[in-house]
Every structure is written in structure tokens, then in C-alpha cells.
Amino acid sequence: MHPLSNQRQRGFSLVELMVGMTIGLIVVLIITQTLSVSEGYRRTTTSGSDAQINGLVALRALEAEVRMAGYGTQNSANLCPTINSLLPGTSTVTSSTGMPIKLVDGGTSALLYSDTIEMVYSGSDFGGAGLRITQAMPTPSNVTKVNTVNGLKTCDFVLYASKDGSKACTMLQVTGFNGNNPQFLTGSGQSNYNPPGGFNGALFPPGGYDTNDIIINMGSFVDKRFSVNKTASKDEYFLRVTNLMSANSGCGIQDPNPQLDMVSN
């Protein structure tokens, strides 16, 4: 057995403790900075990925609408060089271009005025199958005789078009049907888009429409405008789609969401 040493055991001195703590703090600081930089890179990468995904979604939405543009109004020729219609609830006739897709320059300030893309197409599954007028309409009439009324329903919008696209089209709204006969009605006072107090001849082109001219079933008449807008309080841009014509609005049914901000980044 060895005798216990009488020497006093020594611990760390204050200087050694301070040096150790300093080294430890430096290591913690380096690790913290490394994690902070790594998190910044991760957020930048994630943000860029989100922006790319949002951009792809926006382009996909535009692609789908562009593909639909002109559905119902286009075959081998543009059936509607212009479209005559009423300003809703008035007797004022307005004429618009029948182009299925329109690009509008927003001006010099991109932040204030976005360029816009507007698409028009039939909202009916039967828009591509035009009906034929079976009795000439040289003068306006509230009753239209056609080869069939299959696919038509009350409140659908219809376009009267010449078979060769040589005349302006007339837009009215179906308000009913005449029994079992292949006829539909465009009664006044029952739609904001049908002339009040009787059919307005100004809607019809000179000479009216002939036998075998075409009725295009436009359904809810889709007319959408896409634009890029900026959030006022943040550096954020979003794709906005505006329904210029509410679904079947002439029958008093309003689109619950006429303006929708689709994609932001």
C-alpha cells in the first residue's frame, strides 16, 4: 500500500476557464453562422422553385384558355367578323370585334398598365355543332326556327351568323321554347341582352339571315381577360383573370367570382 499523497489536487485556473469558454463561444458562433448561411441558401432555392412552379401554373392556365379561344365561332372561316349586341338592360346596340383572341398593349408603364390577353369562346358542350336556320329571317323576329334545339337551354346565349361569315353576328339570349317544335324564343323583357319592348332591328345586319345560316350555341359566352398585376404593399406580382361577361347574367344569374387572382409570386 502506498501512502496517500499529501499534495493538494489542482483544478482549472480562472485563466484556463476563460480561454476554454472563449474557444467554445467561437465554435458556437461559427456553427451558427454556417447554419444561417445554409438556411438563407435553402430559402432562396425554395423561393426560386416556388416562383418557377407558379409561373408554370400561370402558363398552363393561359395555354388552356388560348386553346379554347374561338371554340364555336371558328370553322373554315371566321363566322363572326363583328358581333352586335345590346348593352345589358338598355336599347343601345354595341358592336365588337369577333376575333377569338385579342392582345392589348397596356402602355409604357408596365407597373401601372399590364398588357392583357382576352379570349372568347362558347361555354356550351354543343358550341362546335352549329344549328341551321330553317326559315329565313329577312326581318327581326322573336321566334327562330331551326333544324333542332338539342343542346339549347333557357338562358343560353346564341349568335346568329351567316354560313360564309360575310355578315355581322347578332347576339341574343334564349328565353324559352315553342312546345315540341324545333324553335326557340328570344323574348324581350326576359333577358338583359334581348331588346326591351320588342326586337330591335339595329341588331340585325341588312337583309337579316337566310335559310341554312347558322345559330351558334355560346352557352354562358365565355369572355375572359388575363393581366399581370402588382401588389401595392409588396414586391409581388400575380396573374389576374377577369370574367368580362358573367355566366348567363342576362337571366339574372350573376357570376359569384367575376374577378379571380390566380397565381402569385
Side-chain angles (χ1 to χ4, degrees):
M1 300 289 294
H2 295 281
L4 295 175
S5 175
N6 292 326
Q7 286 186 333
R8 297 177 59 187
Q9 295 183 352
R10 294 180 65 247
F12 291 107
S13 68
L14 179 61
V15 173
E16 291 172 330
L17 287 174
M18 292 182 65
V19 170
M21 291 178 62
T22 301
I23 294 174
L25 287 174
I26 293 174
V27 171
V28 170
L29 180 62
I30 293 173
I31 293 174
T32 302
Q33 289 290 348
T34 302
L35 290 176
S36 177
V37 172
S38 176
E39 179 66 13
Y41 281 127
R42 187 191 69 81
R43 290 182 179 181
T44 300
T45 302
T46 302
S47 176
S49 177
D50 288 345
Q52 289 180 337
I53 292 173
N54 288 341
L56 289 174
V57 172
L59 288 176
R60 180 65 185 88
L62 280 174
E63 179 190 6
E65 295 296 330
V66 169
R67 287 179 180 272
M68 288 297 298
Y71 170 63
T73 64
Q74 307 288 311
N75 52 20
S76 59
N78 182 5
L79 294 177
C80 294
T82 57
I83 298 175
N84 294 334
S85 62
L86 288 183
L87 291 177
T90 73
S91 58
T92 303
V93 177
T94 181
S95 182
S96 61
T97 176
M99 294 176 61
I101 186 167
K102 291 178 282 188
L103 305 178
V104 181
D105 188 348
T108 56
S109 177
L111 294 179
L112 296 177
Y113 307 105
S114 167
D115 294 346
T116 59
I117 305 176
E118 183 177 342
M119 275 75 70
V120 175
Y121 57 88
S122 170
S124 169
D125 293 338
F126 298 87
L131 311 178
R132 287 186 297 102
I133 297 175
T134 57
Q135 181 173 314
M137 303 174 68
T139 57
S141 173
N142 289 331
V143 179
T144 303
K145 297 181 179 181
V146 289
N147 61 316
T148 180
V149 292
N150 290 340
L152 277 179
K153 61 182 182 296
T154 301
C155 291
D156 277 348
F157 289 98
V158 291
L159 290 177
Y160 294 71
S162 59
K163 52 184 173 291
D164 59 358
S166 61
K167 297 180 180 180
C169 289
T170 298
M171 187 184 81
L172 294 174
Q173 195 165 32
V174 176
T175 57
F177 300 90
N178 192 1
N180 294 324
N181 300 315
Q183 305 172 4
F184 64 87
L185 310 177
T186 51
S188 61
Q190 301 175 52
S191 164
N192 295 330
Y193 290 88
N194 293 346
F199 205 103
N200 190 329
L203 280 172
F204 259 40
Y209 297 99
D210 300 323
T211 301
N212 291 324
D213 276 348
I214 299 172
I215 299 294
I216 303 170
N217 182 359
M218 295 298 292
S220 58
F221 201 113
V222 181
D223 188 354
K224 292 183 178 180
R225 178 179 295 165
F226 286 83
S227 60
V228 176
N229 291 263
K230 183 179 183 298
T231 303
S233 58
K234 296 184 292 184
D235 189 19
E236 182 180 71
Y237 295 83
F238 53 90
L239 179 67
R240 170 169 291 174
V241 55
T242 303
N243 291 321
L244 300 181
M245 193 164 188
S246 297
N248 296 57
S249 59
C251 287
I253 303 174
Q254 296 296 325
D255 188 335
N257 195 5
Q259 185 166 280
L260 176 65
D261 297 334
M262 296 183 61
V263 182
S264 63
N265 66 298

